[in-house]
Amino acid sequence: MSARLVIVGDALLDRDVEGKIDRVAPDSGAPVLDEHETRIRPGGAGLAAAIAAAEGHEVTLIAALADDQAGAELASALALAGVRLVDLGLRGLTPQKVRLLQEGKPRLRLDTGGTDSPVLARNRDGMRRALEWADAILVSDYGRGVASHELVRAALAARLPGRPLVWDPHPRGSAPLPGATLATPNLDEASRLAPHPDRNRGRDPGELARALAAVWGVEAVCVTRGAAGAVLAMQGEPARKFPCAAAEGDPCGAGDRFAVAAAAALGAGAGRPEAVATAVMAAREFVAASGSRRLATSDRASDFLHPLGGRKSDALDLRGVGASPHSIAPALAVATRVRAQGGRVVATGGCFDLLHVGHVRTLEAARALGDCLVVLLNGDRSVRRLKGPERPLVGELERATMLKALGCVDEVAIFDEPVPDEALRLLKPDVWAKGGDYEAGELPEAEAVASWDGRIAILPYLEGRSTTRLIEEVGARVER
């Protein structure tokens, strides 16, 4: 039975570079890997979300992505996996783990994106709505700040009564919330997290589970032991063992598969012992099938694009639970996909306060200039600076939602600066379209667009249609 799962935690981009090592560099003697194939997949909490979606669950991921190329690739990979995203925002770089492989075996790993990049914790309404929507919640903590953020923890603590909360901890992360339904450390993590870690090597897993349950104040702790199965300790009951037959295969992601299966079972009404038994079998089958590799895809964008003219990107969909309008990652993902098919990227910008037919005609004309249209939307603070303290009449989230609902708009990103120079330099549209009676050289964005040889298109403006005029007409009628 499928469940509505919300997964909270640190998302990473995993990149596997498969090749052959048969020579060394003459200048250093270092082995040289000749690349044959590169695959990307969501990592960390993103892998848990992709696994859950592949199992047929409705999944929303609450995570933090930076506005960079890795964030755009990760957003695309999540969307293609069927995962909705609530992007809390990350200052710095989206973390990546790059594995260099020969015959499927890692030879070297390169990590980029530090562990000290602060989580911005924006889009709190989207986070709250997602948690209310869930049948079960899984915290997949990779020690990078999402699960330890005070606003995230407060939102988790305020979840609806009876909503199962599974916590997959990390030695560098924060302790599970007291009262969590189930915590799922592996044996190594349990040894490091339980009191007196210097004396825990070789300690009975059931004792470790009971000690952690007492320290954390959670309802139950299940210590996973790989091919040896798992041990469950619940308050007031003896520890229970769940054996497992060994399986040959890639164990990457097995812990995530275990936690997802346990959360889904609890969300469907199972008790903790039944959920753990289900999760043990699910993890074994996942390893046998080398499941995380099946979730990887070529990093060549043309291999995983939606066809032009097909459905719009649903990454960070502003109309769904997982909305993050401030992130430009989904817009970058759309642009990457379109360019990979030889298409032309068009962008436009504006306040779009009180959306009217003049706006729609201009947006339709802009979309006709290329193969996708990205709208860079002035946020509320930007509109107030431009229009005065009484504007906007409609908030940025509602304006973004209405724009995204138009068939001619492929993606929306919100900016708070007077002009969207930073967003433009990231997006680099082939065409920057504006409606009005401007001369191209008069636009404040002209210099930025020229720097990557983009062109500016001035579109006809529908006479007699403007937000200011609508406000004046409504005011006049009210006065009568």
Side-chain angles (χ1 to χ4, degrees):
M1 179 178 177
S2 63
R4 297 188 300 186
L5 297 181
V6 167
I7 296 174
V8 182
D10 310 290
L12 304 86
L13 182 66
D14 284 350
R15 193 185 304 274
D16 287 352
V17 181
E18 181 72 49
K20 185 177 181 180
I21 301 174
D22 58 8
R23 57 193 174 93
V24 297
D27 57 341
S28 64
V32 175
L33 179 79
D34 288 318
E35 177 186 356
H36 294 168
E37 182 184 13
T38 296
R39 300 178 299 273
I40 64 171
R41 65 171 178 263
L47 177 57
I51 289 170
E55 294 297 320
H57 301 295
E58 293 184 71
V59 185
T60 295
L61 172 65
I62 299 174
L65 278 61
D67 289 338
D68 57 6
Q69 183 60 35
E73 289 183 84
L74 181 50
S76 289
L78 289 166
L80 291 165
V83 176
R84 297 200 276 291
L85 180 64
V86 175
D87 181 8
L88 301 179
L90 186 70
R91 183 176 292 119
L93 299 174
T94 300
Q96 293 188 72
K97 293 186 181 296
V98 183
R99 298 195 304 170
L100 303 182
L101 310 171
Q102 181 175 243
E103 296 180 348
K105 296 180 180 180
R107 302 300 182 184
L108 184 68
R109 196 179 88 182
L110 170 67
D111 289 0
T112 63
T115 58
D116 56 352
S117 298
V119 176
L120 302 178
R122 57 197 184 195
N123 195 23
R124 299 168 197 173
D125 287 343
M127 175 169 60
R128 175 185 53 78
R129 290 194 301 271
L131 294 174
E132 291 175 352
W133 167 86
D135 292 325
I137 301 163
L138 166 62
V139 174
S140 184
D141 189 359
Y142 276 77
R144 291 176 175 266
V146 171
S148 62
H149 197 286
E150 59 180 7
L151 292 176
V152 175
R153 294 179 73 85
L156 289 167
R159 70 190 187 280
L160 297 177
R163 193 63 46 87
L165 173 62
V166 175
W167 200 289
D168 195 11
H170 192 281
R172 293 197 306 269
S174 57
L177 277 181
T181 312
L182 180 68
T184 61
N186 63 35
L187 183 57
D188 178 68
E189 292 165 344
S191 298
R192 295 165 66 183
L193 292 168
H196 312 296
D198 55 325
R199 301 202 297 267
N200 286 337
R201 290 294 177 185
R203 189 177 175 188
D204 178 71
E207 292 180 8
L208 290 172
R210 283 192 293 271
L212 287 170
V215 169
W216 289 336
V218 299
E219 295 178 4
V221 172
C222 179
V223 176
T224 61
R225 302 189 295 159
V231 176
L232 172 67
M234 297 187 292
Q235 293 181 4
E237 297 185 20
R240 297 180 56 173
K241 293 183 178 180
F242 295 81
C244 176
E248 294 291 332
D250 187 351
C252 178
D256 297 296
R257 181 68 187 98
F258 181 96
V260 164
L266 291 168
R272 280 175 285 266
E274 181 185 352
V276 169
T278 300
V280 167
M281 294 306 300
R284 181 189 181 280
E285 292 170 0
F286 185 82
V287 171
S290 295
S292 65
R293 293 190 190 181
R294 292 187 290 110
L295 296 170
T297 184
S298 167
D299 73 342
R300 292 175 298 167
S302 59
D303 286 351
F304 55 90
L305 291 189
H306 303 308
L308 291 178
R311 68 178 178 86
K312 293 190 292 186
S313 166
D314 55 4
L316 307 177
D317 189 345
L318 292 170
R319 292 167 291 174
V321 168
S324 180
H326 290 275
S327 175
I328 199 172
L332 290 173
V334 168
T336 299
R337 290 196 293 270
V338 168
R339 287 194 175 105
Q341 292 184 324
R344 178 182 296 169
V345 177
V346 182
T348 189
C351 301
F352 298 98
D353 198 7
L354 293 184
L355 192 64
H356 54 72
V357 68
H359 291 141
V360 175
R361 294 290 179 264
T362 299
L363 292 168
E364 289 175 338
R367 180 61 175 80
L369 296 174
D371 301 289
C372 72
L373 175 63
V374 173
V375 177
L376 303 180
L377 180 66
N378 292 76
D380 291 348
R381 284 183 292 178
S382 178
V383 175
R384 282 192 289 271
R385 285 194 294 265
L386 292 170
K387 305 289 186 179
E390 301 301 318
R391 300 279 295 276
L393 298 180
V394 179
E396 59 190 26
L397 296 181
E398 291 183 42
R399 289 185 284 127
T401 300
M402 288 188 289
L403 286 167
K404 189 74 181 293
L406 297 175
C408 56
V409 175
D410 293 273
E411 198 49 85
V412 179
I414 294 175
F415 66 95
D416 285 323
E417 298 75 26
V419 294
D421 274 357
E422 183 178 353
L424 276 172
R425 291 185 189 280
L426 287 169
L427 189 63
K428 292 183 173 59
D430 302 290
V431 181
W432 175 245
K434 289 289 287 184
D437 55 358
Y438 306 99
E439 293 291 334
E442 296 174 353
L443 292 175
E445 303 90 353
E447 183 179 349
V449 174
S451 68
W452 57 83
D453 295 325
R455 73 179 182 89
I456 291 174
I458 303 300
L459 303 174
Y461 199 74
L462 191 59
E463 263 323 300
R465 297 291 187 272
S466 74
T467 300
T468 301
R469 180 164 179 170
L470 281 174
I471 294 171
E472 291 172 350
E473 289 177 355
V474 170
R477 293 181 184 182
V478 170
E479 289 177 0
R480 293 196 209 113

